[in-house]
Amino acid sequence: MAEIIQRDGTWIFDGDALRLTPGRDKNVSLLRRTLGELTVPLGALAGVSLEQGRKAGRLRLRLRDGADPLLQATGGKLAKPNDPYQLTVEADRFGVAEYFVDEVRGALLLDRVPSDPVDGYLLPGPPVPLSASAGDGTASFDGERVRLEWNWKTEDAKSASGARTLALGDITAVEWRPAAGLENGCLRFTVRGADTKAPPKYDPNSVELWGFKKDPLMALVAAAVQARLPHPAAPVEDRLAEQPVMEAAPEPGPEADHDALLRRLRELGELHREGVLTDEEFTLAKQAVLKRL
């Protein structure tokens, strides 16, 4: 068994799998702390490396393409601090890190683990139910349905129809993209029969992200959904067989719309009491909701 303990986290290899536990240091990212401990089977690995620096280095795992729904949903766009497959190593622990790398590489050779892509997920993805709030909304997933709820910062054109519920069987793709420079990010769901090129700001099946601390948590929602969609590299017949058959959800009635608007009023009141909204902002937002009532 090989083990390395750092403030950034602890990695343990028992010959069959790696157990990656995030550290409790305040610098450990919110995404890694929320994701918690990961178990990576040896068969999901394509390689491991140690990058040494003057003051610190970095252990890095390279997974086989298509093995992890989190990497699939984020398309390699996770920043280094949020990447659960990287570990910061202090300079005085380089020797331990090198031993760790040798042990993992030896096991990969001994088990003849290929490094080519896979056509099925080898990691389960984040557990559900899962919910995250960032940008202009909240995304929740219970394993069968995604629910998108909007906040007071959402564009009226998108929030006019109220909260959205998307059946897993209607979702054909999911994407998480971080904000970069002047371009906002998003959590976007592609829904069968409702393809759109609208910006996330106006797309009712997207949450727009503005580059704040909680944005990466939306990547966990994306990964949980991705893990339950047919694998993009699976044979066509397998993808069709795996596609869940869901009954059409009934259209929400006036009562549901009324309840959603009442919830919005309560949320606005809480934001006003907490000082997030000024008196003027609260009055304007409240009037907009009351008009829809």
Side-chain angles (χ1 to χ4, degrees):
M1 185 177 76
E3 179 183 63
I4 181 167
I5 303 174
Q6 295 288 274
R7 286 182 298 177
D8 196 31
T10 299
W11 286 13
I12 299 174
F13 176 56
D14 63 7
D16 295 317
L18 294 98
R19 194 164 74 248
L20 316 179
T21 306
R24 296 182 178 180
D25 188 81
K26 63 180 181 179
N27 293 323
V28 175
S29 75
L30 180 60
L31 180 145
R32 289 180 56 210
R33 284 187 274 124
T34 304
L35 183 59
E37 184 176 285
L38 280 177
T39 299
V40 182
L42 184 65
L45 286 184
V48 59
S49 62
L50 171 64
E51 303 167 357
Q52 296 188 18
R54 182 175 299 177
K55 296 183 178 180
R58 189 176 298 273
L59 267 175
R60 186 194 301 268
L61 296 180
R62 183 166 58 88
L63 272 61
R64 298 169 67 184
D65 289 344
D68 179 30
L70 175 61
L71 298 183
Q72 185 72 40
T74 56
K77 297 183 179 69
L78 282 176
K80 284 183 180 180
N82 294 319
D83 188 342
Y85 305 113
Q86 297 190 38
L87 181 73
T88 301
V89 179
E90 296 165 10
D92 62 354
R93 304 297 287 173
F94 284 170
V96 176
E98 288 173 345
Y99 173 75
F100 188 94
V101 168
D102 289 343
E103 287 291 296
V104 176
R105 286 178 176 171
L108 289 171
L109 289 172
L110 187 63
D111 285 17
R112 298 181 179 180
V113 177
S115 60
D116 54 336
V118 297
D119 60 5
Y121 295 119
L122 302 180
L123 281 86
V128 295
L130 185 62
S131 181
S133 298
D136 67 353
T138 297
S140 306
F141 180 53
D142 63 5
E144 295 183 354
R145 289 178 173 81
V146 171
R147 183 169 177 81
L148 302 177
E149 298 177 272
W150 313 116
N151 57 39
W152 65 277
K153 295 168 284 189
T154 311
E155 283 290 323
D156 288 344
K158 185 162 78 171
S159 64
S161 59
R164 299 275 291 170
T165 298
L166 308 176
L168 183 62
D170 292 333
I171 298 173
T172 59
V174 58
E175 172 199 16
W176 174 86
R177 176 166 45 83
L182 298 177
E183 183 179 358
N184 292 334
C186 71
L187 169 66
R188 186 192 294 272
F189 298 94
T190 301
V191 178
R192 184 178 292 104
D195 292 349
T196 178
K197 295 183 179 180
K201 184 176 184 177
Y202 302 107
D203 181 4
N205 296 323
S206 298
V207 176
E208 186 181 38
L209 305 175
W210 300 317
F212 297 133
K213 183 179 179 180
K214 291 186 177 181
D215 284 12
L217 295 183
M218 287 291 186
L220 298 183
V221 178
V225 174
Q226 185 73 58
R228 290 160 177 82
L229 295 178
H231 195 284
V236 175
E237 58 271 20
D238 291 348
R239 278 184 277 165
L240 292 174
E242 291 174 9
Q243 188 67 37
V245 178
M246 307 293 292
E247 294 183 1
E251 290 293 326
E255 297 83 0
D257 290 341
H258 187 268
D259 290 344
L261 293 172
L262 290 177
R263 284 198 302 271
R264 181 73 59 82
L265 283 174
R266 286 195 292 270
E267 291 170 358
L268 291 172
E270 291 173 2
L271 290 170
H272 182 235
R273 286 192 295 273
E274 293 170 1
V276 177
L277 291 178
T278 65
D279 292 343
E280 183 180 1
E281 290 171 335
F282 172 66
T283 301
L284 291 174
K286 183 175 71 172
Q287 287 175 348
V289 175
L290 290 176
K291 284 181 181 178
R292 291 173 55 194
L293 277 171

